[in-house]
Amino acid sequence: MSTADELDGASVLVTGGAGFIGTHVVDALRSTADVTVLDDGSSGDLDAVPDGVACIEADVRDQAAVRAAVAEADVVVHLAAVVSVDESVADPPRSHAVTVDGTLHVLEAARDADARVVLASSAAVYGDPETVPIAEDHRQDPRSPYGLDKLAADRYARLYHDLYGVETVVLRPFNVYGPGQSAEYAGVISVFLEQARAGDPITVHGEGTQTRDFVHVEDVVDAVLLAATTDAVGEAFNVGTGASVTINELAALVRDVTGAESEIVHTDPRPGDIERSEAALTKATERLGFRPRVDLRTGLESLADRT
Ligand code: NAD
């Protein structure tokens, strides 16, 4: 039995279900579970919510709306957040209100409704790591309002489990990529693919020696489904591949899979960019059963084919 089958007939609320990761989660669940999306359309596309999936157009800052939506749910996959680091830097109070208060609204409602909460935290909670690969118990020292708000949400989820017995499972995705990701929010793979397809130079910030762990959205969906059904509640899990590439290697791979002849050029480094990132997956593999399946080249090839 697949994990999606274990949710057969369950009511699943996906906040942020009109966004990049959310639309893939909804797709994976909608044939077995009774899926509802709650989304305000701020960075996602409400028209992308498929027919047959209920869509509540609401803001997670609206506690009454969240309470009403969660009241019907067995599981809440909570993805809604201010996802842009730059936006969080420009407007920390808004990031806090959406990401922290929004999560509290979900957790409070889940406490009343006896619902499970799968929370999208982020690898941004770790900040600039002292050691790689980064395990879940690595020091957490976020470098942006986005990372700090994710850390608060992540800790609240743990606390609601410990204090009130709410079944919470926290996922910390690394760099997610895949179909439907916008280039606007600095998905570096989307940006490089756009540049390669246009025959424009591929622009690498700084020297390009910084490393990242790119995880395909299908693997993130697997992690969400596992989290929705696992016994390992009250825990946080990394969601990456356990491998990393430098941005220079990524640029060369994108050029390779697209067949583009784009030059690779270097621009100013981005302030605050971290040097190394790679997930340790021991805990997620052993406790959650998470095993990423899409290697970077295969994931990029399938994206390049989608022109
Ligand atoms: P996305 O922007 O595509 O999706 C976020 C969705 O939330 C959008 O549909 C948006 O309209 C909705 N939303 C935003 N503010 C809202 C509000 N106030 N009320 C209701 N809905 C609201 O982003 P994504 O990449 O799909 O990210 C989903 C989650 O995963 C986020 O919590 C993000 O922080 C987390 N995450 C993403 C990545 C990544 O690399 N994409 C990495 C780590 C964590």
Side-chain angles (χ1 to χ4, degrees):
M1 193 158 67
S2 78
T3 39
D5 291 337
E6 284 179 53
L7 292 164
D8 196 359
S11 285
V12 182
L13 177 71
V14 185
T15 75
F20 163 48
I21 296 173
T23 47
H24 290 275
V25 170
V26 168
D27 263 354
L29 281 173
R30 69 194 170 102
S31 59
T32 46
D34 180 8
V35 183
T36 301
V37 165
L38 184 150
D39 200 298
D40 71 349
S42 56
S43 62
D45 177 7
L46 293 174
D47 293 334
V49 177
D51 289 345
V53 171
C55 180
I56 302 166
E57 186 173 348
D59 190 320
V60 290
R61 288 173 290 186
D62 178 347
Q63 186 166 11
V66 171
R67 184 176 293 281
V70 173
E72 308 299 323
D74 301 307
V75 177
V76 183
V77 179
H78 180 42
L79 305 173
V82 171
V83 303
S84 154
V85 172
D86 290 347
E87 274 182 28
S88 82
V89 171
D91 190 351
R94 177 168 174 269
S95 172
H96 181 98
V98 173
T99 303
V100 184
D101 295 343
T103 298
L104 268 175
H105 296 159
V106 167
L107 290 169
E108 267 299 292
R111 182 181 162 199
D112 287 345
D114 205 12
R116 172 174 293 213
V117 177
V118 177
L119 170 81
S121 175
S122 168
V125 299
Y126 299 116
D128 207 354
E130 286 167 337
T131 51
V132 286
I134 308 167
E136 286 82 350
D137 59 0
H138 186 282
R139 181 204 63 188
Q140 287 145 27
D141 186 16
R143 293 304 164 105
S144 62
Y146 171 77
L148 186 58
D149 293 337
K150 283 290 172 185
L151 181 56
D154 181 313
R155 292 278 172 85
Y156 265 122
R158 171 69 185 253
L159 208 57
Y160 266 66
H161 170 264
D162 295 352
L163 284 179
Y164 310 120
V166 180
E167 291 189 356
T168 61
V169 183
V170 171
L171 300 176
R172 296 181 185 152
F174 280 61
N175 287 69
V176 187
Y177 72 101
Q181 184 170 36
S182 83
E184 194 187 341
Y185 287 106
V188 61
I189 288 183
S190 309
V191 175
F192 283 4
L193 277 170
E194 255 184 32
Q195 291 172 330
R197 284 188 186 122
D200 291 340
I202 296 178
T203 50
V204 172
H205 290 289
E207 303 213 333
T209 50
Q210 59 278 38
T211 59
R212 295 291 181 271
D213 184 339
F214 292 101
V215 58
H216 194 275
V217 67
E218 276 175 24
D219 287 324
V220 178
V221 170
D222 276 356
V224 168
L225 299 183
L226 288 163
T229 52
T230 185
D231 292 334
V233 292
E235 297 288 342
F237 298 101
N238 286 340
V239 180
T241 64
S244 57
V245 292
T246 68
I247 300 301
N248 286 333
E249 287 166 341
L250 177 70
L253 255 176
V254 166
R255 199 167 55 176
D256 202 23
V257 300
T258 53
E261 289 177 5
S262 298
E263 206 188 330
I264 296 173
V265 299
H266 294 265
T267 60
D268 288 342
R270 285 205 310 191
D273 226 5
I274 63 168
E275 202 43 46
R276 291 176 306 158
S277 180
E278 183 182 302
L281 287 189
T282 310
K283 182 179 175 188
T285 306
E286 287 178 1
R287 307 276 312 273
L288 197 58
F290 174 63
R291 282 179 190 77
R293 292 177 292 174
V294 186
D295 71 83
L296 184 57
R297 173 174 275 276
T298 310
L300 288 175
E301 278 169 352
S302 70
L303 270 182
D305 286 345
R306 296 173 71 97
T307 25

